[in-house]
Amino acid sequence: MKKAHWEKNLVELIRRTSTDLPADVEQAIRKGLRREKKGTNAHDFLSMMLENAAMARRDSVPLCQDTGTLTFRFTVPTGFDTNGLASITRNAVSKATRLGYLRQNTIDSVSGEPYVTNVAHAAPVMEFLQGARKTVDARLIMKGGGCENVGRQYSLPDVALGADRDLEGVRRCVLDAVWQAQGRGCSPGVIAVCIGGDRAKGYAYAKEQFLRKLGERSDVKVLARLEDRLMRDIRHMEIGPMGLGGKTTALAVKIGSLSRLPASFFVSVSYMCWAFRRRGVLLGPEGGVHRWLY
Amino acid sequence: MIKHIEYPFTEEKIRGLRVGDKVSLSGRVCTGRDRLHHFLVKGGKCPVSLRDGAMYHCGPVVMREGDQWVVRAAGPTTSIREEPYMARLIETLGLRVIVGKGGMGEATRMACRDHGCVYLQAVGGAAALLASCIERVDGVHFLAEFGSTEAMWEFHLRDLVAVVTMDARGHSLHRTVERRTRKTLKDLLSE
Ligand code: SF4
């Protein structure tokens, strides 16, 4: 493993993720902009978001100062040295922090002291899967605290919401979560949902939905229909960009499902702000770039 | 139409602003987050006068380049975390403007009304754009104690655009939107 090579390209992955808003997200914001009336706060705020995206890309500076929790997901060939890759990734994170692509954003929860390099136990988050290809598929999502704080998990049935253990119940949970969030998750957001699983995997699998492109509908028919229905419902709510009113509240709804125990039925909702930072890259055996994803 | 306001902010000018107004903000603002608010409420001494001034809820990314500070990213952070402290600070420090995101609660709304202060919503996440409105960094306090994100940065702004979402007449756009959308939510749930 050529360490320097790997590190350089992982730093580049972080740089792109932090500074370069993916095309599908930008398009979705543009689409929202066309729907809003000129001169409204909604129109102004969406324009400023796009202006910000262009500026961050041009100057190679973070889209948002909250550079968030970094979650890497690596799919590696059989027999690949994942411990080595983990340690290189940690180095790349601390280097990207020194270069200003990441804010000093990691704090010891007991002492309150900052980890100045953003490296701590389980920070960054790394997940390793084994794949059939010879390349390493590296994906990174950066998710800030504002939108993370408005995520919600429901245990059905929920009497207050009138939510039973069915898809209508799921719909109610999602609408409630979006309403509770108002503009606090920096709307317009992407709403990822997991039906089922336990509490831990429920949130994790909801977040996996963020890896899907925004235009990609669920390949499970009933879930695809629910995604569409929720998009329409949410548009009616008119929470708008940053919660100031307007038609653009969500950019997409993504739903996945996991099996569950007979006794539990969780609906986990994760909210991603408009500054949706997601990038990926295919790296060869020596750490060279094959192709950038998204 | 956009209304220009510049530090020091007079009570008259601030009381003339209404919810929904778009403003462009210039002059000095100081950043403050959880640690600073907590420190000030516990009786800590404020190193700069905030009378007729502005507090920006923001934890910027600032780099040292040579002998200068360069702000790379400086969008607003969630303000509601400061709700337990804000009303006290508006009163005791004489703040006229708060810039942040997500709005604040009842105590702050009342303090804005009673003491002549407004809350401005900036575009959350627009860190690069908002950083470009910072003309210069005039100083930093508590850098060693609180770390760079929580430190109190003195920024000199030029035309930072934001919307008045809580005015000095007791109105809150956050509250209005929340109430209106609650009705729609109820309708959607009774379908
Ligand atoms: S929610 Fe997203 S855009 Fe808003 S401040 Fe946090 S990371 Fe930035």
Side-chain angles (χ1 to χ4, degrees):
Chain A
M1 217 187 240
K2 273 197 191 132
K3 272 196 176 165
H5 223 129
W6 282 92
E7 189 183 298
K8 179 176 135 256
N9 286 326
L10 287 173
V11 171
E12 175 61 10
L13 174 63
I14 298 168
R15 186 194 70 79
R16 288 191 188 212
T17 311
S18 179
T19 65
D20 190 357
L21 192 70
D24 55 335
V25 180
E26 197 166 332
Q27 253 165 36
I29 299 173
R30 275 230 160 81
K31 207 168 139 195
L33 184 70
R34 282 197 294 271
R35 219 178 282 127
E36 305 289 353
K37 252 197 15 228
K38 264 207 173 140
T40 57
N41 289 331
H43 191 276
D44 286 350
F45 271 30
L46 290 175
S47 316
M48 286 193 267
M49 287 167 188
L50 289 169
E51 198 183 330
N52 182 68
M55 207 173 237
R57 186 175 295 135
R58 187 194 69 204
D59 299 343
S60 199
V61 295
L63 273 161
C64 179
Q65 75 287 340
D66 185 352
T67 50
T69 300
L70 278 73
T71 305
F72 287 91
R73 185 184 154 112
F74 295 107
T75 310
V76 303
T78 315
F80 190 86
D81 173 15
T82 52
N83 284 340
L85 184 55
S87 108
I88 293 169
T89 305
R90 283 189 210 100
N91 287 340
V93 165
S94 91
K95 188 154 183 201
T97 308
R98 277 201 306 280
L99 292 170
Y101 302 135
L102 301 176
R103 180 174 73 178
Q104 287 179 12
N105 214 28
T106 309
I107 290 169
D108 187 283
S109 300
V110 177
S111 70
E113 293 304 314
Y115 290 95
V116 292
T117 60
N118 283 320
V119 176
H121 178 64
V125 179
M126 286 180 265
E127 193 189 4
F128 296 94
L129 302 170
Q130 197 183 299
R133 280 197 270 201
K134 287 211 168 58
T135 47
V136 171
D137 178 318
R139 300 191 188 217
L140 170 59
I141 285 181
M142 290 167 48
K143 187 170 188 297
C147 61
E148 184 68 1
N149 290 347
V150 300
R152 274 174 187 264
Q153 195 166 53
Y154 300 83
S155 173
L156 300 190
D158 184 310
V159 182
L161 286 175
D164 298 322
R165 294 181 158 192
D166 53 21
L167 290 184
E168 172 56 21
V170 174
R171 172 179 166 265
R172 286 164 179 260
C173 296
V174 176
L175 291 176
D176 179 69
V178 171
W179 181 76
Q180 300 270 2
Q182 291 290 312
R184 287 184 281 273
C186 288
S187 50
V190 175
I191 323 298
V193 182
C194 172
I195 309 172
D198 69 351
R199 286 191 185 273
K201 194 63 193 171
Y203 269 133
Y205 196 64
K207 288 184 177 189
E208 255 184 72
Q209 308 304 312
F210 291 134
L211 294 170
R212 289 164 56 192
K213 278 201 181 170
L214 297 197
E216 209 176 291
R217 295 173 83 220
S218 168
D219 43 25
V220 182
K221 255 203 189 127
V222 282
L223 298 187
R225 271 207 297 276
L226 185 56
E227 290 176 355
D228 295 345
R229 167 100 196 266
L230 277 163
M231 276 304 281
R232 283 198 303 275
D233 287 348
I234 293 169
R235 196 168 306 147
H236 274 130
M237 275 211 247
E238 305 225 333
I239 291 169
M242 297 309 297
L244 303 187
K247 298 187 176 68
T248 319
T249 305
L251 300 174
V253 177
K254 301 274 162 222
I255 307 175
S257 84
L258 292 175
S259 63
R260 61 178 176 89
L261 298 179
S264 12
F265 193 121
F266 295 113
V267 176
S268 311
V269 182
S270 184
Y271 196 109
M272 177 66 92
C273 54
W274 71 267
F276 185 157
R277 287 151 292 173
R278 167 216 325 115
R279 287 278 162 193
V281 64
L282 295 181
L283 298 168
E286 297 298 322
V289 174
H290 270 219
R291 186 156 62 81
W292 291 97
L293 305 168
Y294 298 112
Chain B
M1 208 195 51
I2 198 156
K3 295 188 172 167
H4 293 269
I5 56 173
E6 183 155 4
Y7 174 79
F9 310 99
T10 62
E11 175 162 9
E12 191 197 348
K13 186 113 194 189
I14 292 304
R15 288 204 180 270
L17 295 173
R18 279 167 192 259
V19 150
D21 283 352
K22 202 193 312 174
V23 297
S24 123
L25 184 74
S26 298
R28 191 178 81 184
V29 305
C30 293
T31 68
R33 292 176 54 109
D34 315 10
R35 301 265 316 246
L36 181 77
H37 284 73
H38 193 248
F39 170 84
L40 294 175
V41 157
K42 288 270 145 27
K45 196 172 163 333
C46 192
V48 280
S49 167
L50 290 176
R51 187 146 302 281
D52 297 324
M55 172 81 89
Y56 184 17
H57 293 156
C58 167
V61 180
V62 189
M63 308 289 289
R64 190 81 186 169
E65 286 178 13
D67 58 355
Q68 287 210 37
W69 293 110
V70 179
V71 185
R72 289 173 63 91
T77 188
T78 304
S79 299
I80 195 73
R81 289 195 307 267
E82 319 312 340
E83 181 62 15
Y85 319 117
M86 205 73 251
R88 274 274 295 284
L89 295 184
I90 290 171
E91 183 181 353
T92 54
L93 301 176
L95 281 165
R96 292 268 177 240
V97 176
I98 300 157
V99 189
K101 74 170 176 97
M104 301 195 73
E106 284 304 286
T108 304
R109 186 170 70 86
M110 293 308 177
C112 282
R113 192 195 58 188
D114 295 345
H115 305 289
C117 179
V118 289
Y119 178 89
L120 308 181
Q121 163 91 46
V123 188
L129 181 69
L130 298 175
S132 75
C133 304
I134 299 168
E135 279 193 331
R136 48 171 212 272
V137 177
D138 285 336
V140 57
H141 310 273
F142 309 114
L143 184 57
E145 298 91 316
F146 299 168
S148 159
T149 304
E150 300 272 338
M152 183 184 200
W153 294 91
E154 267 180 67
F155 291 154
H156 191 90
L157 299 183
R158 162 76 61 217
D159 293 332
L160 183 142
V161 174
V163 171
V164 178
T165 54
M166 295 166 75
D167 62 22
R169 302 155 191 248
H171 297 301
S172 160
L173 186 55
H174 306 281
R175 220 167 58 129
T176 312
V177 172
E178 201 164 313
R179 286 188 176 167
R180 199 191 59 224
T181 55
R182 182 190 281 136
K183 273 203 205 109
T184 322
L185 176 71
K186 257 179 98 184
D187 293 347
L188 286 167
L189 293 187
S190 62
E191 265 175 27

